[in-house]
Amino acid sequence: MKYLHVVEREGRYVSELRESDVPVPQGEEVLVRVAASGLNRADLSQIAGRYPPPLGESDILGLEVSGTIDGSDHRVCALLAGGGHAEYVAAPQGQVFPAPPQLDLVAAAGIPEAFLTTFANLVVEGGLAAGARVLIHAGASGVGLAAIQVAKLLGAYVAATTRTSEKLAALTAAGADLAIHGAPRVVPEIEQQWGRDAVDIVLDPIGAATLPGDLAVLAPGGRIICIATMGGRGPPLDLSLLMRKRARLIGSVLRARSRAEKAALVRRFCGEILPAFQTGALRVMVDSVLPPTRAADAFQRLRDNRNAGKVLIDWRGQPAPV
């Protein structure tokens, strides 16, 4: 089979299609013929040597795919810890779920990582309930646009940020009640629209650059959920304010969780969230779809922050291995 090998050279990505044996499923795994794979910033971190796959998982890039169970026409999505940017992947059975019937199979590759990250953090970690006020940073990312939609689906009010003014429309299209351009505007705009100490849950992939503002707008007993450190790892933190607000600061990652924990998340997700794709209440907001031969362009687009939504690799044009 073919798989993507990507390296970074002087700030630019170089990709090539390499050959490998088709993976042989082990234990409770199934072989998925990949239709499309989704790009994530975790891929960029792995290329940079900062985010290796968990022990025992494939070192091929790629954390989410859509496709078919090998030898059948059963359409599926799969959440992975590695191996997705390839023609085939051996996926843990508990992390495989049906692709929504009315959704294009390539677009369905944008569901697993973005929407399960959202579900794990807003719902499971954050206890999101109807009427809550939610702040989502990096709102035009794949996770950000998924989080806006899921929060609105569950009856929350949503403020979302982007550092690019051209992406404000994408936040509004996803359902954000407040679309905010730039982290420095978060505190004044939220206080003007919602009042002081108004936010119940913050989903923050930025880190150092945004955490002080998160705490400033947080309601008493609120939750700040940190899922990445794109803006730095060492924020100034007012511990006295953290204590006075009885705030909870939660660190969370999805990739490193055990297969058993991920399977439990997938089961809940399939019962509580997945049906909304069939009704049209949720959708994958796709930025671009490129073939494997143009993977370097796809990775560069993600790195340069030019995407609004998911960047996907379409593997369907690849000939089947002999």
Side-chain angles (χ1 to χ4, degrees), residues 8-307:
E8 182 184 357
R9 294 175 184 162
E10 298 180 351
R12 306 295 300 179
Y13 289 108
V14 178
S15 67
E16 63 176 322
L17 285 167
R18 292 187 173 181
E19 292 283 348
S20 178
D21 293 335
V22 173
V24 177
Q26 304 294 319
E28 295 184 352
E29 294 180 340
V30 294
L31 186 63
V32 176
R33 183 173 185 183
V34 175
S37 53
L39 271 65
N40 294 278
R41 287 196 171 271
D43 294 326
L44 308 187
S45 294
Q46 183 172 336
I47 293 167
R50 297 191 302 268
Y51 197 34
L55 185 65
E57 300 288 358
S58 172
D59 59 3
I60 294 174
L61 297 165
L63 303 183
E64 59 184 344
V65 299
S66 62
T68 54
I69 300 296
D70 189 45
S72 78
D73 58 0
H74 182 40
R75 294 163 30 110
V76 296
C77 301
L79 176 72
L80 308 166
H85 293 312
E87 292 180 287
Y88 288 88
V89 65
Q93 192 163 13
Q95 295 165 218
V96 176
F97 57 92
Q102 292 185 350
L103 192 64
D104 176 78
L105 190 56
V106 169
I111 294 177
E113 182 69 17
F115 282 90
L116 277 156
T117 293
T118 291
F119 181 72
N121 291 295
L122 288 185
V123 178
V124 178
E125 301 286 359
L128 177 65
R133 297 188 187 273
V134 179
L135 170 60
I136 297 165
H137 288 296
S141 67
V143 169
L145 292 171
I148 293 169
Q149 293 182 74
V150 170
K152 294 301 296 181
L153 177 74
L154 299 179
Y157 300 94
V158 177
T161 72
T162 176
R163 62 183 180 179
T164 307
S165 60
E166 292 79 9
K167 297 182 181 181
L168 289 169
L171 309 188
T172 303
D177 300 287
L178 299 177
I180 302 172
H181 177 213
R185 299 180 62 88
V186 167
V187 175
E189 291 206 21
I190 286 182
E191 289 185 348
Q192 180 181 1
Q193 297 295 326
W194 289 352
R196 294 176 60 85
D197 302 340
V199 175
D200 299 295
I201 303 172
V202 181
L203 186 65
D204 192 342
I206 307 299
T210 48
L211 191 57
D214 297 344
L215 189 55
V217 299
L218 199 68
R223 287 82 75 200
I224 301 170
I225 305 167
C226 296
I227 61 172
T229 55
M230 294 190 297
R233 299 184 179 187
L237 183 61
D238 185 343
L239 290 175
S240 64
L241 182 58
L242 185 79
M243 292 184 290
R244 287 199 306 272
K245 290 196 171 185
R246 306 184 307 281
R248 281 172 279 173
L249 182 59
I250 301 168
S252 177
V253 294
L254 183 58
R255 187 183 195 186
R257 299 184 190 211
S258 70
R259 289 187 172 189
E261 187 175 1
K262 289 176 184 174
L265 279 171
V266 169
R267 284 194 298 272
R268 278 195 62 183
F269 175 80
C270 288
E272 299 176 32
I273 302 296
L274 190 62
F277 287 98
Q278 187 64 13
T279 65
L282 293 179
R283 58 195 175 102
V284 178
M285 300 182 74
V286 176
D287 172 82
S288 50
V289 179
L290 291 89
T293 53
R294 291 189 57 201
D297 294 333
F299 282 90
Q300 198 69 44
R301 184 169 181 82
L302 190 65
R303 178 196 170 113
D304 293 343
N305 196 38
R306 290 185 284 124
N307 64 301

